[in-house]
């Protein structure tokens, strides 16, 4: 039969246990934030970098977002059908004719300004039957 | 009590504490490793390159910083190819070849030479239905529409004799020469496909075995899926919003490229025009064929073939497919006689799935 643990041992065990549990909690949080949740976020992407990011839930009808990109200005507006480009000083104005976006994977593109506006899920994308579109 | 047990009793406390400390650290490290090494991770980057939207998804067990570095290389590669292949950039090596048409050969580096070789081969294979020397025609249309007018018949008639791949010479010394003065090469119908081919080579070098690249609708599928299921590629419905699939195919280690009349349509003088030109007439194509999708191992060839198929229509395309083993195609038509129809080659019979009942699906035997 062993000797009872000393007071110092107990303190050390407790400290190690706290560190271990804290690490587990941090890891769990990391795993959850990396893979959990399903909120949609509206992102403006310029040259591969996200320059604007807005929670879709925070967008109220008729709220607008102005994005300065590629030497010009694009204005997005939220409405009942989703988010639409309502103003752009680009050549051609193709982005103004693109449909409103509201679902994960939807995009509006302004090629002259090299701007992509997309809806993305914060968590894992809902299992979609389609990985990519050819057109 | 022997010596060992006596020593064990004496140092039992510190040894146990040490073991617990080591096990705790191992446990904590293990938990973090679960997050970083639990098989494949997926990284995606969207950007604009070659005047189109590019989306690259990599699926790999490599660390995220390494995957991000590979994404950087991919986008840099596309940028380099764009600089070489653009006929609208006066400083590009292609513009140099165009400027020296009828004057002297110009140097064509590895990529430029390679894409011209493929372009020339497909032009000959399709009897000029796809032709990279269409540049003199596309330039006239661009200049005209830029001034808000259609090009005159005289302008087009003067450009047509400059079209024809027999006038493009590639020397064994890595030079390209357009024999006819005023001729122009336009790689718009093959550049994206060649970029996909180059990206696939880069991914092989980097050891990425699973990836999906979409360059303005031209798809490269590397590997057989994301680990859970095969890649599934939707084919755009001609009459619905962008992103609405008419049908889908499963894809593994292949490329899927579509040319469609619904893309980049524009209006002038009371009618709509497409961006696909018939090299034999110098005018944008018309007809019942709404889109042609080519599924093939070589994305550059597939890109050029999809344009050619739009020009020659499904009947002649199917004849051509008989001599192109390993190349499959899906045609979407809307004609007065047959209505809305999807024609597909048998190679996609097991992987094609229809989503729109308005279209009738027919498989055509080309083997």
């Amino acid at each position: 039969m062993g000797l009872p643990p000393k007071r110092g041992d107990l303190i050390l065990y407790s400290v190690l246990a706290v560190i271990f549990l804290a690490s587990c909690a941090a890891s769990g949080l990391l795993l959850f934030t990396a893979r959990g949740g399903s909120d949609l976020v509206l992102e403006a992407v310029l040259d591969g970098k996200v320059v604007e990011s807005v929670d879709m839930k925070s967008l109220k009808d008729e709220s607008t977002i102005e994005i300065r990109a590629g030497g010009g200005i694009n204005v997005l507006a939220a409405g009942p059908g989703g988010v639409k480009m309502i103003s752009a000083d680009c050549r051609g104005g193709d982005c103004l004719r693109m449909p409103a976006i509201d679902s994960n994977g939807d995009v509006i593109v302004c090629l002259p300004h090299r701007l992509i506006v997309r809806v993305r899920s914060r968590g894992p994308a809902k299992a979609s039957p389609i990985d990519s579109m050819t057109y | 009590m022997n010596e060992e047990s006596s020593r064990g009793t004496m140092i039992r406390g510190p040894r146990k504490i040490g073991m617990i400390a080591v096990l705790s650290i191992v446990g904590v490290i293990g938990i973090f490793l679960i997050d970083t090494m639990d098989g494949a991770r997926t990284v995606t980057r969207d950007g604009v390159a070659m005047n189109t939207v590019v989306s690259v998804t990599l699926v790999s067990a490599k660390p995220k910083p390494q995957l991000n570095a590979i994404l950087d290389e991919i986008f840099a590669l596309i940028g380099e190819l764009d600089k070489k292949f653009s006929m609208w950039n006066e400083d590009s090596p292609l513009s140099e070849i165009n400027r020296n048409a009828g004057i002297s050969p110009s140097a064509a580096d590895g990529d430029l030479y390679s894409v011209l070789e493929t372009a020339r081969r497909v032009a000959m294979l399709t009897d000029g239905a796809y032709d990279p020397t269409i540049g003199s025609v596309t330039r006239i249309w661009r200049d005209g529409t830029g001034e808000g007018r259609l090009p005159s018949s005289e302008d087009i008639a003067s450009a047509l004799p400059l079209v024809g791949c027999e006038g493009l010479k590639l020397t064994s010394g890595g030079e390209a020469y357009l024999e006819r003065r005023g001729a122009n090469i336009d790689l718009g119908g093959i550049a994206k496909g060649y970029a996909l081919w180059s990206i696939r080579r880069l991914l092989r070098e980097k050891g990425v075995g699973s990836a999906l690249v979409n360059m303005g609708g031209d798809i490269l599928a590397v590997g057989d899926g994301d680990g859970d299921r095969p890649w599934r590629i939707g084919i755009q419905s001609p009459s619905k919003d962008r992103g609405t699939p008419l049908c889908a195919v499963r894809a593994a280690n292949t490329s899927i490229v579509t040319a469609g009349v619904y893309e980049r349509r524009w209006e002038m003088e009371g009618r709509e025009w497409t961006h696909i030109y018939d090299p034999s007439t110098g005018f944008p194509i018309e007809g019942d064929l709404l889109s042609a999708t080519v599924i093939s191992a070589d994305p550059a060839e597939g890109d050029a073939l999809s344009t050619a198929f739009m020009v020659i229509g499904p009947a002649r395309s199917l004849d051509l497919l008989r001599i192109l083993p390993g190349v499959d195609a899906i045609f979407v038509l809307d004609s007065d006689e047959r209505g809305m129809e999807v024609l597909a080659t048998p190679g996609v019979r097991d992987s094609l799935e229809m989503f729109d009942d308005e279209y009738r699906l027919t498989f055509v035997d080309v083997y």
Side-chain angles (χ1 to χ4, degrees):
Chain A
M1 198 172 147
L3 296 169
K6 292 178 183 169
R7 190 163 171 268
D9 289 354
L10 284 173
I11 292 169
L12 191 58
Y13 293 164
S14 304
V15 169
L16 287 170
V18 168
I19 292 170
F20 184 74
L21 289 172
S23 302
C24 288
S27 301
L29 190 66
L30 190 75
L31 290 168
F32 176 78
T33 51
R35 295 166 193 166
S38 59
D39 289 351
L40 294 175
V41 61
L42 183 79
E43 291 181 337
V45 181
L46 188 64
D47 294 331
K49 292 187 175 63
V50 177
V51 294
E52 188 81 58
S53 181
V54 183
D55 192 325
M56 287 287 277
K57 279 194 292 195
S58 73
L59 290 173
K60 305 278 185 289
D61 276 4
E62 295 177 15
S63 59
T64 58
I65 305 163
E66 186 179 289
I67 301 160
R68 290 176 183 274
I73 299 173
N74 295 66
V75 181
L76 296 156
V83 175
K84 203 169 176 352
M85 192 78 79
I86 58 162
S87 166
D89 55 0
C90 60
R91 184 185 73 246
D94 288 345
C95 54
L96 299 170
R97 291 186 284 275
M98 290 193 174
I101 56 174
D102 64 353
S103 305
N104 185 29
D106 288 354
V107 292
I108 296 173
V109 181
C110 179
L111 278 178
H113 290 169
R114 305 173 65 80
L115 175 71
I116 299 170
V117 180
R118 69 185 178 197
V119 178
R120 192 177 63 81
S121 170
R122 279 209 177 94
K126 208 163 74 178
S128 162
I130 302 297
D131 294 299
S132 200
M133 288 288 297
T134 180
Y135 46 86
Chain B
M1 188 180 287
N2 61 31
E3 190 184 337
E4 193 174 298
S5 64
S6 166
R7 191 172 61 231
T9 303
M10 281 167 64
I11 61 171
R12 179 187 58 84
R15 180 178 283 178
K16 222 173 190 178
I17 291 166
M19 274 181 67
I20 291 168
V22 168
L23 285 173
S24 299
I25 291 164
V26 168
V28 170
I29 292 170
I31 288 167
F32 279 99
L33 285 179
I34 285 169
D35 185 53
T36 56
M37 294 179 66
D38 62 344
R41 68 176 65 246
T42 301
V43 294
T44 297
R45 186 180 296 175
D46 298 330
V48 175
M50 277 195 175
N51 209 27
T52 193
V53 180
V54 181
S55 177
V56 183
T57 297
L58 306 179
V59 183
S60 170
K62 291 179 188 297
K64 201 168 180 182
Q66 208 173 324
L67 293 177
N68 281 327
I70 294 171
L71 288 172
D72 289 342
E73 282 193 54
I74 289 171
F75 277 88
L77 172 67
I78 299 169
E80 278 173 32
L81 293 176
D82 192 23
K83 281 182 194 162
K84 291 177 187 171
F85 294 173
S86 174
M87 74 176 283
W88 310 112
N89 170 9
E90 289 302 315
D91 298 327
S92 72
L94 182 68
S95 290
E96 179 78 9
I97 295 169
N98 288 341
R99 265 195 305 275
N100 287 333
I103 302 169
S104 63
S106 303
D109 80 344
D111 284 317
L112 187 52
Y113 193 89
S114 181
V115 74
L116 287 172
E117 265 190 325
T118 306
R120 201 165 177 276
R121 177 165 48 82
V122 178
M124 289 176 168
L125 192 68
T126 60
D127 199 17
Y130 162 79
D131 198 315
T133 62
I134 188 88
S136 55
V137 168
T138 52
R139 196 177 282 278
I140 281 174
W141 278 90
R142 182 173 153 128
D143 289 349
T145 54
E147 294 166 8
R149 60 172 178 82
L150 292 174
S152 68
S153 302
E154 292 76 27
D155 287 344
I156 292 170
S158 66
L160 275 181
L162 304 173
V163 179
C165 236
E166 67 283 357
L168 169 61
K169 304 297 179 197
L170 299 173
T171 71
S172 54
E175 290 179 317
Y177 179 49
L178 285 164
E179 292 181 317
R180 298 167 194 143
R181 189 124 196 204
N184 267 221
I185 297 167
D186 181 349
L187 293 174
I190 197 169
K192 286 189 291 174
Y194 184 84
L196 290 178
W197 183 88
S198 304
I199 291 167
R200 183 171 60 195
R201 188 176 55 184
L202 177 68
L203 290 173
R204 277 183 189 152
E205 284 169 13
K206 300 290 176 186
V208 176
S210 183
L212 197 59
V213 185
N214 187 330
M215 282 197 69
D218 291 4
I219 310 279
L220 174 71
V222 177
D224 56 4
D226 64 0
D228 295 327
R229 59 184 175 83
W231 298 121
R232 291 183 77 204
I233 310 302
I235 296 174
Q236 175 65 40
S237 171
S239 53
K240 305 259 170 71
D241 284 344
R242 167 75 68 83
T244 310
L246 167 66
C247 55
V249 285
R250 288 193 299 277
N253 292 312
T254 193
S255 69
I256 302 176
V257 179
T258 297
V261 293
Y262 46 82
E263 275 297 305
R264 289 156 59 192
R265 290 181 79 87
W266 46 280
E267 279 183 33
M268 194 164 279
E269 296 191 3
R271 59 161 287 190
E272 279 199 323
W273 304 84
T274 75
H275 70 288
I276 302 171
Y277 298 95
D278 183 341
S280 68
T281 65
F283 277 86
I285 58 166
E286 295 178 80
D288 303 329
L289 183 57
L290 304 179
S291 71
T293 298
V294 176
I295 299 134
S296 67
D298 183 342
E301 184 184 84
D303 199 1
L305 278 176
S306 66
T307 302
F309 289 174
M310 288 303 295
V311 171
I312 60 179
R316 283 180 61 198
S317 301
L318 289 165
D319 284 342
L320 199 54
L321 283 162
R322 289 179 218 283
I323 59 165
L324 291 171
V327 179
D328 279 287
I330 298 166
F331 301 96
V332 181
L333 300 106
D334 187 1
S335 65
D336 291 339
E337 311 83 60
R338 296 174 62 95
M340 294 152 92
E341 187 174 27
V342 173
L343 293 180
T345 52
V348 294
R349 187 186 294 273
D350 295 333
S351 71
L352 180 65
E353 186 182 353
M354 292 294 294
F355 296 136
D356 191 336
D357 294 339
E358 285 185 284
Y359 286 83
R360 189 176 70 258
L361 172 63
T362 307
F363 286 100
V364 186
D365 190 8
V366 291
Y367 301 139

